[in-house]
């Protein structure tokens, strides 16, 4: 009997230890579950905060896009107004220039002195330079407005340079300058009229601001 009681006591101890262990594991699991619950709540709050920040950023981006679209539209309207103004101004100024050309031509016919003829030629050159600049402005304004489309084709630089040489050589000689063009037989793809106007402006400025020596194209 005593031995049996000892065995029963040992069994009771084991059962008690098992129960204690189970209770401890249960408590640990509950603690882990509570910790996971707290972590989930924290993550949910962080996700909610980040989501609100993202929505706020998206709203700001949408407003920025609206502002940019409005600014672009205003810029396009301003550019169109500028283009129309340049076109109108160029036309208005070209009319009195044509009248001035006629007056200078009439004046040249009645001039007999060398000094008078020289002054008339200077006035003619100034009027021609002004007219070229205004026509260039008019061409640019037409291109900006989409009224004129470039007429792209093959342009012989040799023929173009020959034409420019004929136009500008007298101007260079009057200023005591040399004007030379490098031999070239290339053909480029461009709008002949616009390319000629660009080169005319370059040559006009080169001859105007060159005090001595010459210009090489």
């Amino acid at each position: 009997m005593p031995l049996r009681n000892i065995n029963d006591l040992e069994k009771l101890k084991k059962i008690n230890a098992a129960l204690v262990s189970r209770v401890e594991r249960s408590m640990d699991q509950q603690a882990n579950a509570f910790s996971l619950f707290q972590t989930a709540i924290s993550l949910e709050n962080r996700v909610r905060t980040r989501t609100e920040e993202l929505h706020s950023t998206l709203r700001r981006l949408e407003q920025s896009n609206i502002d940019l679209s409005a600014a672009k539209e205003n810029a396009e309207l301003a550019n169109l107004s500028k283009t129309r103004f340049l076109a109108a101004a160029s036309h208005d100024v070209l009319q009195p220039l044509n009248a001035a050309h006629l007056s200078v031509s009439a004046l040249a016919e009645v001039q007999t002195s060398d000094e008078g003829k020289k002054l008339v030629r200077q006035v003619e050159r100034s009027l021609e330079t002004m007219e070229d600049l205004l026509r260039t402005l008019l061409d640019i304004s037409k291109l900006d407005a989409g009224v004129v489309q470039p007429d792209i084709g093959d342009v012989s630089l040799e023929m173009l340079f020959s034409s420019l040489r004929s136009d500008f050589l007298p101007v260079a000689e009057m200023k005591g300058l040399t004007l030379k063009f490098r031999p070239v037989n290339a053909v480029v793809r461009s709008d002949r009229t616009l390319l000629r106007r660009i080169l005319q402006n370059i040559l006009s400025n080169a001859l105007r601001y060159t005090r001595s020596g010459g210009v090489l194209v």
Side-chain angles (χ1 to χ4, degrees):
M1 291 298 294
L3 182 59
R4 184 177 179 182
N5 290 336
I6 292 174
N7 291 335
D8 290 342
L9 182 60
E10 290 296 329
K11 289 180 179 179
L12 288 174
K13 288 181 178 180
K14 290 180 179 180
I15 292 172
N16 184 58
L19 290 174
V20 170
S21 177
R22 182 176 297 179
V23 170
E24 289 177 348
R25 287 198 302 271
S26 177
M27 292 178 65
D28 290 340
Q29 290 175 355
Q30 290 178 0
N32 291 335
F34 182 72
S35 177
L36 290 174
F37 177 71
Q38 286 183 319
T39 302
I41 292 177
S42 176
L43 288 174
E44 182 181 2
N45 291 333
R46 291 171 62 183
V47 169
R48 184 182 298 110
T49 301
R50 294 294 183 270
T51 302
E52 291 175 354
E53 292 176 352
L54 179 60
H55 286 163
S56 177
T57 301
L58 288 175
R59 286 192 295 270
R60 288 197 299 269
L61 286 175
E62 290 175 356
Q63 185 60 45
S64 297
N65 288 334
I66 293 173
D67 294 340
L68 286 174
S69 297
K72 180 182 178 182
E73 184 177 354
N74 291 333
E76 290 175 349
L77 290 175
N79 187 57
L80 182 59
S81 298
K82 179 199 69 175
T83 300
R84 290 174 177 171
F85 169 77
L86 284 174
S90 298
H91 279 300
D92 291 342
V93 175
L94 281 175
Q95 291 179 356
L97 269 180
N98 293 331
H101 273 299
L102 294 175
S103 299
V104 171
S105 297
L107 183 62
E109 294 178 358
V110 299
Q111 286 295 323
T112 56
S113 66
D114 292 338
E115 185 65 23
K117 292 179 180 179
K118 181 180 179 181
L119 289 174
V120 169
R121 285 195 298 269
Q122 289 177 348
V123 173
E124 285 179 340
R125 288 199 304 272
S126 298
L127 289 175
E128 289 171 356
T129 301
M130 185 180 298
E131 184 177 358
D132 286 339
L133 291 174
L134 288 172
R135 289 191 182 279
T136 300
L137 282 176
L138 181 59
D139 290 339
I140 292 173
S141 65
K142 287 181 178 179
L143 285 172
D144 287 341
V147 177
V148 174
Q149 296 296 327
D151 184 13
I152 305 299
D154 293 336
V155 181
S156 169
L157 292 184
E158 182 180 9
M159 295 178 61
L160 183 58
F161 284 0
S162 177
S163 175
L164 291 171
R165 184 187 296 108
S166 299
D167 291 343
F168 285 92
L169 187 58
V171 179
E173 290 176 346
M174 288 180 184
K175 293 191 64 176
L177 301 173
T178 61
L179 177 61
K180 296 181 180 180
F181 289 78
R182 290 187 182 276
V184 61
N185 56 3
V187 175
V188 298
R189 296 281 297 173
S190 181
D191 183 295
R192 178 180 176 82
T193 301
L194 295 177
L195 180 59
R196 178 180 172 80
R197 288 196 182 280
I198 292 172
L199 294 176
Q200 280 179 325
N201 287 335
I202 293 174
L203 276 172
S204 178
N205 289 330
L207 292 173
R208 182 183 308 163
Y209 296 108
T210 300
R211 297 184 180 276
S212 62
V215 174
L216 175 63
V217 179

